[in-house]
């Protein structure tokens, strides 16, 4: 399971990049550490409280489904994680074992894989994407933290605030700024223009038009009420409240 590339290896990279995990956390993860909501719209992972003890779980992190994001939906961490749980359940039937006793990323016999095997899966995924494993001086470009740092880079590139990445990824320092530095730097031009990487100009205009239409509808309803009422000042005050609520909810 851990060494097979295909869907299992590539989906492992998807899931664990979004959850910002180290390789030692992956090999220590158990089936029982993960839960998917009954509607399949969110997934929660029970994670270690510190990198010193990857088995001392106590912190949860949750992702909601992102299938509605057209450019990222194919890599939804929720559904990728749900499929992995299904694989473990199938393996448990073959081995006549309860799923909670099996690692989340087990070997074919249901045992825990080693660190080298986990890193080898990352290497194979990189090769499948056509990425060279070594840099120009011969050093490895990928390692056990590649999914964690790659996930930080992805989230920063999508406009997620570094402090949110730091908290979600359980970083105790601002080291995440270095990991995500490339993505953060690439977003400066868009930030200068007042447009985040998540919102294109057409999207912003569409949202503005929708909000403007709602305000016009509220104004029309209030004007009608004022014409029919004996206390127009009260209705004008209500209009301010309605507009404020509409903007806040929007």
């Amino acid at each position: 399971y851990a060494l097979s590339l295909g869907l299992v290896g590539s989906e492992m990279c998807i899931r664990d990049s979004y959850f910002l995990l180290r390789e030692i956390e992956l090999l220590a993860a158990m089936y029982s550490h993960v839960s998917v909501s009954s509607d399949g719209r969110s997934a929660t992972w029970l994670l270690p409280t510190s990198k010193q003890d990857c088995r001392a779980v106590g912190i949860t992190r949750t992702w909601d489904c992102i299938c509605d994001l057209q450019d990222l939906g194919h890599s939804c961490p929720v559904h990728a994680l749900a499929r992995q749980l299904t694989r473990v359940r199938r393996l448990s039937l073959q081995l006549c074992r309860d799923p909670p006793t099996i690692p989340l990323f087990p070997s074919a016999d249901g045992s825990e894989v080693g660190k080298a095997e986990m890193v080898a899966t990352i290497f194979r995924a990189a090769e499948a994407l056509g990425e060279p494993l070594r840099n120009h001086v011969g050093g490895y470009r990928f390692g056990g933290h590649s999914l964690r740092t790659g996930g930080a880079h992805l989230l920063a590139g999508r406009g997620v605030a570094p402090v949110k990445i730091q908290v979600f990824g359980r970083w105790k320092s601002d080291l995440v700024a270095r990991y995500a530095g490339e993505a953060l730097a690439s977003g400066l031009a868009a930030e200068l223009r007042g447009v985040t990487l998540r919102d294109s100009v057409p999207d912003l205009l569409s949202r503005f038009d929708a909000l403007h239409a709602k305000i016009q509808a509220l104004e029309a309803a209030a004007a009608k009420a004022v014409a029919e009422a004996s206390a127009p000042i009260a209705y004008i005050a209500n209009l301010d409240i309605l507009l404020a609520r509409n903007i806040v909810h929007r």
Side-chain angles (χ1 to χ4, degrees):
Y1 276 71
L3 286 179
S4 60
L5 182 56
L7 288 176
V8 181
S10 61
E11 286 191 346
M12 186 193 79
C13 294
I14 291 170
R15 290 184 302 267
D16 309 328
S17 291
Y18 280 106
F19 278 94
L20 306 174
L21 301 181
R22 309 173 182 89
E23 86 286 6
I24 58 173
E25 296 170 340
L26 302 181
L27 60 88
M30 299 295 292
Y31 173 93
S32 58
H33 292 170
V34 172
S35 62
V36 176
S37 62
S38 58
D39 61 1
R41 301 294 298 175
S42 66
T44 299
W45 199 323
L46 183 61
L47 298 170
T49 56
S50 74
K51 62 181 180 182
Q52 279 72 34
D53 188 354
C54 62
R55 301 183 190 280
V57 296
I59 294 179
T60 59
R61 291 293 182 265
T62 299
W63 263 103
D64 292 329
C65 173
I66 59 171
C67 288
D68 57 320
L69 300 178
Q70 294 182 358
D71 58 336
L72 289 177
H74 67 283
S75 60
C76 176
V78 176
H79 290 92
L81 200 52
R83 287 188 288 270
Q84 182 63 19
L85 293 178
T86 298
R87 294 186 186 99
V88 176
R89 286 193 292 269
R90 289 173 180 168
L91 179 63
S92 71
L93 292 175
Q94 298 174 15
L95 301 176
C96 297
R97 290 174 54 183
D98 291 331
T101 67
I102 299 177
L104 185 59
F105 304 107
S107 62
D109 62 1
S111 61
E112 183 180 289
V113 301
K115 180 176 179 178
E117 294 172 306
M118 193 64 69
V119 174
T121 302
I122 298 174
F123 281 0
R124 293 179 63 184
E127 289 180 320
L129 293 172
E131 293 287 338
L133 296 183
R134 295 181 182 273
N135 56 29
H136 65 285
V137 296
Y140 281 109
R141 299 177 59 228
F142 304 94
H145 284 214
S146 290
L147 303 181
R148 180 170 170 80
T149 58
H153 188 281
L154 169 67
L155 296 177
R158 297 288 295 183
V160 178
V163 66
K164 292 183 179 181
I165 301 174
Q166 180 177 338
V167 172
F168 191 89
R170 299 159 292 131
W171 272 284
K172 303 298 184 183
S173 67
D174 58 359
L175 190 62
V176 65
R178 179 169 68 85
Y179 289 154
E182 201 173 298
L184 292 172
S186 67
L188 290 180
E191 188 170 333
L192 184 62
R193 297 186 183 95
V195 181
T196 69
L197 295 178
R198 294 168 296 177
D199 297 322
S200 64
V201 172
D203 290 336
L204 291 172
L205 291 175
S206 176
R207 288 168 54 185
F208 176 80
D209 289 341
L211 180 58
H212 183 62
K214 288 184 178 180
I215 292 175
Q216 286 183 319
L218 286 171
E219 289 176 337
K224 181 180 180 180
V226 168
E228 298 174 351
S230 59
I233 295 179
Y235 282 90
I236 293 175
N238 289 341
L239 171 61
D240 294 337
I241 295 173
L242 288 173
L243 289 176
R245 287 178 178 174
N246 184 67
I247 292 174
V248 169
H249 288 312
R250 182 59 184 153

